[in-house]
Amino acid sequence: MSPVSESAVTEAVSESVSGHVRVASVNVNGIRAAYKRGMAEWLAARDIDILCLQEVRAPDAIVRELLGDSWHIVHAEAQAKGRAGVAIASRIEPSATREHIGDEYFETSGRWVEADFAVNGSTFTVVSAYVHSGEADTPKQVDKYRFLDVMCSRLPALREASDHALVVGDLNVGHTTLDIKNWKGNVKRSGFLPDERAYFDRFFGEEIGWVDVHRSIAGEVDGPYTWWSWRGQAFDNDTGWRIDYHMATPELAALAGNAVVDRAASYDARFSDHAPLVVDYRL
């Protein structure tokens, strides 16, 4: 890792030598479990300005206790205990927050939270999102498609309302064959279904026009993967999926750099089955 030193307050971020705002996204697979496995040590070393979490799976009081008082926190807790939950923790105080995607059906699902920030005279909107994992030919998949449908409406609205907009998180879809090591064995599995991938064609195509930041920086290479099963030798063999994203409006994507997957050094050093995806934005 090569962290960029940045301040914990809005003024210093705006005037920092680097001019970067560092945004990290990670599905923690339960924040209490992640902290027991060493998440605090990773976070202390990374100089993150905006931390987006998915699958928090903890009450709000626990989230605030673990992260500490140095963060501004907006947390959309799922009504179903022990499920989902998304949060944005920031060194920069947000000017406004919204705790669901806008469809009442998902209001208490803990899958979408938004925060607006004022940075160098611009409005910067950040979303932490956790798309359903789904299951082919079940009601779970119906809910996943409904959520992706709402995203198709929300993304253009975000772009219209802000100077810069960014959606990050565990979106639970590998867009192309580069995004899954064993894609041939998963063509009928939720996460790589043709209908799911078609949504991402829309997100990153002419219709909606957002940019897959990590892919644009990494280029046309396998991965880099962000999720590996706990089971078997998936992590050791790098048999992973790239399902964690930074999706940005084109103007913001042009300001992105230094995209890094913080893959643990070894299986037993992981604090989640997902690795953080960290990107600097020159705002």
Side-chain angles (χ1 to χ4, degrees):
M1 301 177 188
S2 55
V4 178
S5 179
E6 295 162 342
S7 172
V9 297
T10 306
E11 292 83 359
V13 169
S14 298
E15 298 171 3
S16 66
V17 173
S18 67
H20 291 169
V21 174
R22 176 164 290 178
V23 182
S25 176
V26 57
N27 179 320
V28 292
N29 197 9
I31 192 169
R32 285 171 286 198
Y35 264 71
K36 288 178 181 177
R37 295 186 182 113
M39 178 179 167
E41 289 76 10
W42 165 79
L43 186 57
R46 275 310 252 141
D47 289 327
I48 303 299
D49 293 303
I50 301 175
L51 173 67
C52 298
L53 305 176
Q54 303 89 44
E55 211 170 349
V56 174
R57 302 204 322 246
D60 192 68
I62 296 295
V63 175
R64 294 177 186 277
E65 177 185 343
L66 290 173
L67 289 175
D69 295 335
S70 62
W71 296 93
H72 301 279
I73 299 170
V74 54
H75 174 211
E77 185 178 343
Q79 187 176 62
K81 293 187 181 301
R83 301 292 299 276
V86 290
I88 299 173
S90 59
R91 305 297 191 185
I92 312 164
E93 184 174 4
S95 57
T97 62
R98 295 165 293 277
E99 296 187 5
H100 66 92
I101 197 169
D103 184 331
E104 290 185 1
Y105 184 78
F106 298 114
E107 185 172 355
T108 61
S109 65
R111 293 186 177 273
W112 186 276
V113 65
E114 302 179 5
D116 298 334
F117 301 95
V119 181
N120 286 335
S122 296
T123 301
F124 178 35
T125 298
V126 178
V127 177
S128 181
Y130 177 44
V131 174
H132 306 65
S133 57
E135 185 178 342
D137 301 320
T138 73
K140 293 180 180 179
Q141 193 68 25
V142 174
D143 278 356
K144 185 174 188 176
Y145 287 139
R146 180 168 179 168
F147 195 87
L148 292 169
D149 280 332
V150 179
M151 284 183 65
C152 289
S153 299
R154 187 62 188 146
L155 292 178
L158 287 170
R159 185 176 182 181
E160 181 68 24
S162 295
D163 297 305
H164 301 293
L166 177 68
V167 174
V168 306
D170 176 4
L171 304 188
N172 264 314
V173 176
H175 182 204
T176 76
T177 57
L178 295 175
D179 297 322
I180 301 179
K181 182 70 170 285
N182 180 26
W183 66 267
K184 291 181 180 178
N186 287 283
V187 292
K188 295 183 179 180
R189 178 181 175 185
S190 183
F192 201 61
L193 298 172
D195 287 346
E196 294 174 330
R197 297 166 62 200
Y199 281 98
F200 284 68
D201 291 340
R202 296 170 67 188
F203 295 160
F204 302 133
E206 292 184 6
E207 179 183 349
I208 294 177
W210 285 50
V211 176
D212 181 345
V213 174
H214 191 197
R215 174 59 66 210
S216 69
I217 292 173
E220 296 298 300
V221 299
D222 290 338
Y225 308 121
T226 60
W227 175 84
W228 304 262
S229 172
W230 287 115
R231 298 189 299 272
Q233 300 296 309
F235 184 80
D236 293 337
N237 296 332
D238 200 24
T239 305
W241 294 49
R242 191 181 77 95
I243 53 176
D244 300 88
Y245 291 80
H246 280 226
M247 297 172 50
T249 50
E251 298 80 8
L252 178 62
L255 305 177
N258 195 33
V260 178
V261 177
D262 281 355
R263 190 181 191 275
S266 62
Y267 178 94
D268 58 3
R270 305 167 74 191
F271 64 79
S272 172
D273 51 353
H274 293 253
L277 176 58
V278 185
V279 183
D280 294 334
Y281 295 91
R282 300 183 304 275
L283 289 170

